[in-house]
Amino acid sequence: DVKVTQSSRYLVKRTGEKVFLECVQDMDHENMFWYRQDPGLGLRLIYFSYDVKMKEKGDIPEGYSVSREKKERFSLILESASTNQTSMYLCASSLERLAALYEQYFGPGTRLTVT
Amino acid sequence: QKEVEQDPGPLSVPEGAIVSLNCTYSNSAFQYFMWYRQYSRKGPELLMYTYSSGNKEDGRFTAQVDKSSKYISLFIRDSQPSDSATYLCASTLPYGGATNKLIFGTGTLLAVQP
């Protein structure tokens, strides 16, 4: 079974703090993704990575950055957290580029609250 | 207009009922169509996907795509309380695009009453 784990289930941070969200997958997947999920807006893609040290912007990259130093690990960084970044953050992975179209495996999510 | 539209529900049905969940999409170039299930406080899990038009069946679940009307459906037969979850539809463009990303509907919350 593919396992995607995220470092925290719940996180509370203050406005202006730098926040790190970690994601690890154990199935040697090439592709990794970061989404945020908000009521009424669904899942929106923040950043994705097709290979180590590679990253591409998704639909809403503003205020976020990512790091992929190892194949199994993909980090999402909020440079200066703001209240509008309060959300559920979901990490996903897929085997290779074509499979990303239809078969992504998600982690349990991190519910981030910025006060 | 959102690229993938989905009725948010909630939809409440008695155990054993046939459930129909629906989405519409606007981009006729979409080629892959997925259904994800998301239990409360969990990440989405892939239920099934179809490529282009037609039906696909997996146990009690049937996914249907009608490209002429841009309609995506998921049917659940003999629904169980354990089917209670949010169901998300998603679509993607054909492989080879600059950004091969999933485009999700907002999800339909389903409650199956015992």
Side-chain angles (χ1 to χ4, degrees):
Chain A
D1 265 359
V2 176
K3 195 88 184 266
V4 180
T5 56
Q6 295 183 228
S7 51
S8 306
R9 292 302 305 275
Y10 300 94
L11 212 50
V12 180
K13 296 291 182 181
R14 293 192 181 276
T15 301
E17 278 192 82
K18 192 168 186 176
V19 182
F20 293 86
L21 302 181
E22 300 282 331
C23 175
V24 177
Q25 50 92 5
D26 67 357
M27 285 300 291
D28 203 33
H29 281 181
E30 290 183 8
N31 308 318
M32 297 189 75
F33 308 82
W34 275 106
Y35 295 86
R36 62 178 283 178
Q37 185 176 29
D38 301 286
L41 296 176
L43 277 84
R44 293 177 293 166
L45 182 64
I46 304 171
Y47 266 99
F48 59 104
S49 169
Y50 284 140
D51 202 350
V52 175
K53 296 194 186 295
M54 291 183 66
K55 60 184 179 184
E56 294 191 41
K57 293 179 180 178
D59 294 322
I60 51 165
E62 296 78 20
Y64 303 95
S65 62
V66 290
S67 172
R68 193 161 180 206
E69 296 296 319
K70 292 185 177 182
K71 191 174 186 179
E72 68 271 16
R73 189 179 298 269
F74 193 33
S75 302
L76 180 69
I77 303 151
L78 285 67
E79 297 292 341
S80 178
S82 64
T83 55
N84 63 12
Q85 291 178 311
T86 292
S87 186
M88 169 71 89
Y89 288 88
L90 291 158
C91 175
S93 72
S94 70
L95 182 59
E96 39 79 33
R97 199 173 291 212
L98 177 59
L101 294 180
Y102 55 82
E103 195 167 27
Q104 293 188 18
Y105 296 88
F106 284 83
T110 296
R111 184 162 293 282
L112 172 67
T113 302
V114 182
T115 61
Chain B
Q1 181 192 9
K2 288 184 178 175
E3 290 188 277
V4 178
E5 300 265 12
Q6 189 172 6
D7 186 337
L11 181 62
S12 182
V13 301
E15 184 175 353
I18 296 174
V19 177
S20 172
L21 302 168
N22 305 297
C23 292
T24 57
Y25 64 94
S26 58
N27 192 334
S28 57
F30 283 162
Q31 199 162 67
Y32 287 92
F33 304 91
M34 282 69 66
W35 284 97
Y36 282 81
R37 177 175 62 196
Q38 186 175 21
Y39 290 116
S40 181
R41 291 186 290 278
K42 296 280 179 74
E45 57 176 332
L46 180 67
L47 268 179
M48 52 201 306
Y49 71 89
T50 55
Y51 174 76
S52 197
S53 274
N55 290 3
K56 187 172 184 178
E57 192 172 316
D58 184 1
R60 296 185 295 110
F61 298 88
T62 300
Q64 189 175 79
V65 176
D66 182 347
K67 294 198 82 177
S68 62
S69 58
K70 300 193 186 72
Y71 212 73
I72 313 164
S73 300
L74 179 71
F75 299 98
I76 307 174
R77 290 184 300 280
D78 187 25
S79 57
Q80 302 295 308
S82 58
D83 295 328
S84 298
T86 297
Y87 290 81
L88 302 157
C89 61
S91 300
T92 58
L93 292 167
Y95 180 68
T99 306
N100 290 311
K101 61 179 184 180
L102 299 183
I103 299 165
F104 284 89
T106 52
T108 299
L109 179 60
L110 171 67
V112 181
Q113 308 297 334

